[in-house]
Amino acid sequence: MSAREERADLHLHTTASDGRLSPAELVRLLAERGVSVAAVTDHDSTEGLDEAEREAARHPGLRLITGIEISADSPLDEGGDLHLLGYFFDRADAALQERLRAFREEREQRGERMVERLAHIGKPVEWERVLAIADGASVGRPHVAQAMVERGYIASVRGAFDGYLNDGGTAFVARPHISLEDAVQMIKHAGGAAVLAHPVYAKDYERLLPRLAEIGVVGFEAHYANFDAETRQRLLSLADRLGLLPCGGSDYHAFGAPGEQLPGSAGPPLSVVAELERLASAGRRG
Ligand code: AMP
Ligand code: ZN
Ligand code: FE
Ligand code: FE
């Protein structure tokens, strides 16, 4: 067997969103596993990055890249939700942080409205409890669902979605919207490069991918831990044909589920990271 080419893991979560490890714990695990380049990409937040960088400074073998995963709406009709990854941006950018703060605040208001709806249908949960479950992360339906489970209304988080929190459910309220174009501009204005996450999970992705370049997206995930070899190969060919960078990572959350893919288990070669960095800095110059 030939020596494995060195790979980056550009998709990782911490307790700053729905991951179970703190940023410092995640960085220690990355170092232990010998990952040399990584990006922490929490949902709609960069709040974990200070802690992650402080810990990374103690592991000279590990280079940490600024990252985020923003939820956005597909530009296709009925295209649903997309996840957009951002890299190499300035996380002190005031416009970016203001948008993220507003988005998280709107998500809180939306969470409170779902809690009100639950009270209306005789399944009250405490808003304070939902906030405590979210524990500083952006409030989402899984947190409301967990509060319902704790109150004994339903056996599992999944069950709380069926008929209650799923789209069209009795307690459902839509999350605040960000268009894909807006999300890309947020990242670009902050000097970064934008990449579509796990494209196969997007509706009609074969129609979506050819439109990414015109919106300013520079790549999409192909080296994604949960994609099988055939899917990765197909996405690599598509990236090549469309002139987009094949990115990726483990999307590790430390959920502890059987078979969970660990940090460093997937990701692009370091040449792709260099190209991402070059594109981000080219964007800053002009
Ligand atoms: P939100 O962003 O608040 O609308 O919540 C979306 C999250 O809810 C997704 O990332 C999933 O983790 C979770 N989710 C969505 N649908 C289901 C479902 N049917 N069962 C369990 N979790 C779900
Ligand atoms: Zn997540
Ligand atoms: Fe995602
Ligand atoms: Fe993710």
Side-chain angles (χ1 to χ4, degrees), residues 73-145:
D73 302 325
S74 170
L76 302 179
D77 298 334
E78 308 294 325
D81 255 22
L82 299 177
H83 287 172
L84 187 73
L85 295 158
Y87 301 112
F88 292 111
F89 55 89
D90 171 14
R91 74 171 185 278
D93 184 85
L96 175 71
Q97 289 303 342
E98 174 52 31
R99 279 301 295 276
L100 293 175
R101 198 197 49 70
F103 186 74
R104 291 194 295 265
E105 197 173 294
E106 284 168 42
R107 284 184 72 97
E108 278 200 17
Q109 288 160 6
R110 174 245 197 171
E112 278 191 274
R113 287 176 57 206
M114 289 193 285
V115 164
E116 281 164 22
R117 293 202 176 193
L118 284 172
H120 270 289
I121 61 169
K123 302 234 171 338
V125 301
E126 285 187 10
W127 173 239
E128 290 307 318
R129 186 58 203 143
V130 174
L131 281 179
I133 291 167
D135 191 23
S138 192
V139 177
R141 287 180 287 164
H143 308 123
V144 178

Side-chain angles (χ1 to χ4, degrees), residues 12-232:
L12 297 154
H13 294 276
T14 76
T15 47
S17 63
D18 57 350
R20 302 271 170 91
L21 294 186
S22 71
E25 286 168 335
L26 175 68
V27 166
R28 283 195 287 275
L29 181 58
L30 286 163
E32 251 167 54
R33 291 182 51 81
V35 177
S36 59
V37 178
V40 172
T41 54
D42 276 308
H43 297 285
D44 310 310
S45 174
T46 61
E47 302 289 310
L49 295 184
D50 282 344
E51 181 183 318
E53 282 180 5
R54 273 197 305 277
E55 183 62 31
R58 302 166 54 178
H59 304 275
L62 172 65
R63 179 187 184 201
L64 209 61
I65 291 161
T66 310
I68 192 165
E69 181 174 24
I70 299 178
S71 305
D73 302 325
S74 170
L76 302 179
D77 298 334
E78 308 294 325
D81 255 22
L82 299 177
H83 287 172
L84 187 73
L85 295 158
Y87 301 112
F88 292 111
F89 55 89
D90 171 14
R91 74 171 185 278
D93 184 85
L96 175 71
Q97 289 303 342
E98 174 52 31
R99 279 301 295 276
L100 293 175
R101 198 197 49 70
F103 186 74
R104 291 194 295 265
E105 197 173 294
E106 284 168 42
R107 284 184 72 97
E108 278 200 17
Q109 288 160 6
R110 174 245 197 171
E112 278 191 274
R113 287 176 57 206
M114 289 193 285
V115 164
E116 281 164 22
R117 293 202 176 193
L118 284 172
H120 270 289
I121 61 169
K123 302 234 171 338
V125 301
E126 285 187 10
W127 173 239
E128 290 307 318
R129 186 58 203 143
V130 174
L131 281 179
I133 291 167
D135 191 23
S138 192
V139 177
R141 287 180 287 164
H143 308 123
V144 178
Q146 198 181 321
M148 290 177 71
V149 172
E150 284 181 5
R151 289 292 300 260
Y153 298 134
I154 208 88
S156 69
V157 163
R158 178 156 295 276
F161 276 83
D162 291 337
Y164 297 110
L165 297 175
N166 61 319
D167 192 342
T170 47
F172 175 74
V173 178
R175 67 164 171 78
H177 291 288
I178 294 182
S179 71
L180 182 64
E181 291 87 340
D182 275 2
V184 172
Q185 287 310 315
M186 283 162 67
I187 291 166
K188 288 188 63 146
H189 279 144
V195 165
L196 182 71
H198 40 66
V200 172
Y201 302 158
K203 263 183 213 153
D204 237 347
Y205 75 94
E206 278 164 340
R207 267 204 314 131
L208 177 65
L209 296 184
R211 296 187 47 183
L212 293 179
E214 70 199 42
I215 297 170
V217 175
V218 301
F220 56 79
E221 289 190 309
H223 305 279
Y224 184 74
N226 271 317
F227 292 165
D228 60 26
E230 188 266 321
T231 303
R232 292 187 203 195

